[in-house]
Amino acid sequence: MSDLSVFTKEAASVATSYPFEREIAPVRRLAQTGDEKAYEQALRLIAQRLRAFFRRRMNNTPEDIEDMVQETLLAIHTRRHTYDEAFPVSAWIMAIAKYKLIDFWRKHGKRDALTDEFNDTDLSQQSIMANDAATSNLADIQKLLIQLPEKQRQAIELIKLLGLSVSEAAHQTGLSESALKVQVHRGIKQLTALVAKQST
């Protein structure tokens, strides 16, 4: 199953216009043909994006952040067969980064870090998107997301799943940062209720 099966067509369309996608997609295509320079350039672009992603979410030393970058690059390489060409490669990369970050938090006992800046429950805490072992549940997440209002679904897909910052998502959607936070807050609550309902 693809790591991107959680994304709807609307989210994939927005991700395609995301600056990182515009940078990485053509370089990755060249790298796939065996172009070594393109491969090296792709690695540099991905590493740069990962450093920014982890730096915003980890209160750790530069060494720890660099370790996470290298671990994620290795995971991207070993799981390259899971990439579905129908989806933006940037979304696939950031989905793997998200899994790695959740693993890091759990291994280091940072339960508080599993609660994001919205002071709300992360999808991972509901055991529906925890780590690589939970990828079999991704189709269920898609079914749940489809039940949400469009703005809530889009906000969660971009911020929670794709890994964009609130400001990046605001730029992509045209919504204000505060509006996006509200949509994520409401959407997560509704998803939690849907998960609980399925469990009964």
Side-chain angles (χ1 to χ4, degrees):
M1 180 179 293
S2 167
D3 290 319
L4 287 176
S5 59
V6 292
F7 291 97
T8 61
K9 290 181 180 179
E10 295 94 329
S13 176
V14 173
T16 301
S17 66
Y18 181 43
F20 178 49
E21 177 67 21
R22 293 199 300 268
E23 284 184 311
I24 193 62
V27 177
R28 178 191 172 277
R29 282 194 291 270
L30 280 176
Q32 290 290 93
T33 67
D35 188 321
E36 292 185 9
K37 288 185 178 179
Y39 180 72
E40 291 175 4
Q41 185 181 357
L43 287 180
R44 285 196 298 272
L45 288 171
I46 294 170
Q48 182 180 18
R49 180 68 182 96
L50 292 176
R51 287 188 188 96
F53 174 79
F54 290 129
R55 196 176 293 122
R56 286 200 305 268
R57 292 161 175 81
M58 294 172 60
N59 186 22
N60 293 81
T61 65
E63 291 78 10
D64 286 334
I65 292 171
E66 191 61 29
D67 284 345
M68 285 291 288
V69 170
Q70 296 306 317
E71 283 186 28
T72 307
L73 288 174
L74 179 60
I76 289 168
H77 176 73
T78 58
R79 296 179 60 186
R80 62 191 182 278
H81 64 282
T82 68
Y83 173 59
D84 185 341
E85 295 285 348
F87 291 92
V89 67
S90 61
W92 175 73
I93 290 168
M94 299 317 298
I96 293 176
K98 186 80 170 182
Y99 296 147
K100 285 294 179 183
L101 182 62
I102 292 168
D103 283 342
F104 177 87
W105 283 336
R106 291 188 168 183
K107 288 176 183 177
H108 290 77
K110 296 188 176 183
R111 299 298 302 176
D112 57 330
L114 289 170
T115 300
D116 67 9
E117 66 264 34
F118 308 119
N119 194 28
D120 216 334
T121 305
D122 197 340
L123 296 178
S124 61
Q125 288 179 289
Q126 300 302 325
S127 300
I128 58 176
M129 191 179 173
N131 50 35
D132 293 347
T135 56
S136 61
N137 293 321
L138 290 176
D140 293 333
I141 299 175
Q142 185 177 29
K143 292 176 183 176
L144 294 174
L145 285 170
I146 291 173
Q147 298 179 54
L148 297 181
E150 181 181 353
K151 288 183 179 180
Q152 291 179 15
R153 183 180 70 245
Q154 186 182 52
I156 289 172
E157 287 171 333
L158 293 177
I159 296 171
K160 291 292 192 177
L161 303 180
L162 184 57
L164 271 64
S165 67
V166 177
S167 61
E168 289 170 335
H171 178 72
Q172 292 293 321
T173 62
L175 296 174
S176 68
E177 293 186 21
S178 59
L180 276 172
K181 290 180 182 181
V182 169
Q183 295 303 326
V184 170
H185 179 84
R186 292 175 178 172
I188 291 293
K189 281 194 171 183
Q190 193 164 337
L191 279 178
T192 302
L194 290 170
V195 171
K197 185 177 180 181
Q198 284 191 347
S199 301
T200 57

